[in-house]
Amino acid sequence: MTGEKEILGTCPVDRGLTRVGDRWSMLVLRDVERGLTRYEQLRTSLGIAPNILSRRLAALTEAGLLKKRRYSQRPPRDEYVLTDAGCDFLPILMAIGAWGRKYNGAGALSQHFDVKTGGVVRPVVVDANTGAPIGSRPLRFEYPD
């Protein structure tokens, strides 16, 4: 039997996009991070069809980015919260937002503010080993053996 890693190939970008590669999934993660954790809150915020939202929530839960948490026993109701994997995706969303602001930023746009300092958050992706911003230095790509 072929393993999931073999099916997905060696590209980590491809593997990541397999889990969250569509607009709706990323917007669901964005809204959950903002505190909209209940189905109806998400549906209202996103203006998404119920069947699409249900599929995205199930896929994000199965992929380990969200988990269900029961908030009502009668009737049974669940809310969705970020897992560690979901929290680790937030900087990626912030980077996508910064890119969108830079290249598609006409008009009024929402912003993130640091609660402690009050300053506008300006995300940047850096190499943890050197501190250099990604894209500022040449990189070499290698396939696994």
Side-chain angles (χ1 to χ4, degrees):
M1 180 174 190
T2 305
E4 182 177 334
K5 288 182 180 178
E6 292 174 27
I7 292 170
L8 294 174
T10 62
C11 178
V13 173
D14 187 24
R15 289 186 186 189
L17 289 173
T18 297
R19 301 290 186 244
V20 292
D22 68 87
R23 173 180 181 256
W24 290 122
S25 293
M26 290 188 214
L27 292 175
V28 165
L29 292 170
R30 178 205 65 188
D31 278 4
V32 170
E33 186 269 334
R34 292 177 177 174
L36 304 176
T37 59
R38 297 180 180 180
Y39 182 90
E40 202 55 40
Q41 291 174 322
L42 292 165
R43 195 177 70 72
T44 300
S45 171
L46 297 170
I48 187 174
N51 62 324
I52 294 172
L53 178 57
S54 294
R55 283 197 305 260
R56 293 312 183 275
L57 289 169
L60 289 167
T61 301
E62 184 179 324
L65 288 119
L66 294 176
K67 64 181 174 185
K68 288 183 182 183
R69 183 171 60 197
R70 180 73 31 116
Y71 71 87
S72 173
Q73 295 300 324
R74 289 185 184 248
R77 299 269 191 251
D78 295 319
E79 63 183 348
Y80 295 87
V81 295
L82 295 169
T83 63
D84 288 344
C87 288
D88 285 348
F89 191 74
L90 296 178
I92 297 165
L93 283 178
M94 295 288 291
I96 292 170
W99 180 85
R101 177 177 295 285
K102 183 175 181 177
Y103 293 104
N104 301 293
L109 298 172
S110 60
Q111 298 185 82
H112 283 89
F113 291 87
D114 185 300
V115 173
K116 191 172 184 177
T117 67
V120 174
V121 174
R122 294 179 50 228
V124 61
V125 180
V126 299
D127 175 7
N129 294 318
T130 65
I134 300 296
S136 67
R137 298 173 11 171
L139 303 174
R140 185 179 72 247
F141 178 81
E142 292 184 7
Y143 286 101
D145 294 333

